[in-house]
Amino acid sequence: DVKVTQSSRYLVKRTGEKVFLECVQDMDHENMFWYRQDPGLGLRLIYFSYDVKMKEKGDIPEGYSVSREKKERFSLILESASTNQTSMYLCASTPASGGLIQPQHFGDGTRLSIL
Amino acid sequence: KQEVTQIPAALSVPEGENLVLNCSFTDSAIYNLQWFRQDPGKGLTSLLLIQSSQREQTSGRLNASLDKSSGRSTLYIAASQPGDSATYLCARMDSSYKLIFGSGTRLLVRP
């Protein structure tokens, strides 16, 4: 079974802090994704990556950056956290080969609160 | 803009009832349609994936159908159980592996 692990289930940070959210997958998947989920807005794609060192902007990249130094790890960075970034953050992965016929596998999410 | 709509937003049914969740999308050029389940405070669990060339997929008491021409997918749950209570999300995938999600249907199955 694919395992996608997000380093923290709950995180509380202060406005202006630099925040790192980590995601690791154990199935050698090329594609990795970061979403945020908010009531009434659903899941929205922040950034995604097709391979190491590669990154693509999703629908709402403003205020975020990402890092993919190793294939198994995809980090989401909040450069200067703001209260409107309080949300549930979800990481997902899928293989490049067969990625159109295999589902995305999700981690359990990180609930981030910015005070 | 590509949109995915799920109706109803919430549903409450007695245990044992068969039910249908609806998903509609605006762009018929999809690569696949995925159904997920989300329990409160948790991530998403994949239930079924229907490729664009397929009409339906089945897993146990779940059956999902896809009609690209009308832009619709349905998730049928047979003989519902309290353990089926969760939020059900559908999502369409485009050629760049990006998923566009609906807002979900929150299901409560009453004992």
Side-chain angles (χ1 to χ4, degrees):
Chain A
D1 263 2
V2 177
K3 183 76 173 171
V4 178
T5 303
Q6 295 185 230
S7 55
S8 304
R9 290 297 311 278
Y10 302 93
L11 208 52
V12 180
K13 296 291 183 180
R14 297 208 171 271
T15 303
E17 279 193 68
K18 190 169 185 176
V19 181
F20 294 84
L21 302 183
E22 305 288 346
C23 175
V24 177
Q25 49 90 8
D26 66 356
M27 282 302 291
D28 204 36
H29 285 173
E30 288 80 5
N31 304 328
M32 296 188 74
F33 306 82
W34 274 107
Y35 299 87
R36 64 177 283 177
Q37 184 177 29
D38 302 286
L41 295 176
L43 276 89
R44 293 177 291 168
L45 182 63
I46 305 171
Y47 265 98
F48 58 107
S49 169
Y50 291 133
D51 209 336
V52 177
K53 305 277 188 194
M54 296 180 68
K55 59 183 179 183
E56 298 282 344
K57 292 180 179 179
D59 299 319
I60 52 165
E62 296 79 19
Y64 303 94
S65 63
V66 290
S67 173
R68 184 102 183 264
E69 295 297 318
K70 293 185 178 180
K71 193 174 187 180
E72 67 270 20
R73 184 181 297 272
F74 191 34
S75 303
L76 180 69
I77 305 158
L78 285 65
E79 298 290 344
S80 177
S82 64
T83 54
N84 63 12
Q85 292 178 309
T86 291
S87 186
M88 173 74 137
Y89 289 86
L90 291 159
C91 174
S93 74
T94 193
S97 59
L100 295 177
I101 61 172
Q102 292 191 34
Q104 287 192 5
H105 297 270
F106 281 80
D108 279 340
T110 295
R111 186 163 294 282
L112 175 64
S113 296
I114 306 296
L115 305 179
Chain B
K1 182 183 174 184
Q2 302 166 358
E3 288 191 350
V4 178
T5 305
Q6 291 188 248
I7 294 173
L11 185 62
S12 178
V13 301
E15 182 177 4
E17 195 162 296
N18 301 326
L19 57 100
V20 175
L21 307 182
N22 296 294
C23 173
S24 61
F25 46 91
T26 55
D27 187 351
S28 61
I30 68 171
Y31 278 75
N32 66 49
L33 191 292
Q34 299 184 31
W35 283 93
F36 294 88
R37 168 186 173 137
Q38 186 175 31
D39 292 293
K42 294 291 188 70
L44 278 64
T45 300
S46 176
L47 297 173
L48 291 165
L49 181 151
I50 311 174
Q51 298 176 51
S52 62
S53 58
Q54 297 174 326
R55 287 293 194 120
E56 65 178 346
Q57 283 286 330
T58 298
S59 176
R61 293 182 292 108
L62 305 180
N63 175 277
S65 68
L66 175 64
D67 184 344
K68 285 197 304 178
S69 61
S70 65
R72 292 177 184 274
S73 176
T74 61
L75 179 66
Y76 175 83
I77 302 176
S80 58
Q81 303 170 358
D84 294 330
S85 298
T87 297
Y88 291 81
L89 296 152
C90 72
R92 63 179 293 280
M93 177 175 279
D94 64 18
S95 59
S96 61
Y97 304 106
K98 291 166 62 177
L99 283 176
I100 300 168
F101 284 86
S103 294
T105 293
R106 194 167 61 254
L107 173 65
L108 173 65
V109 180
R110 307 186 305 272

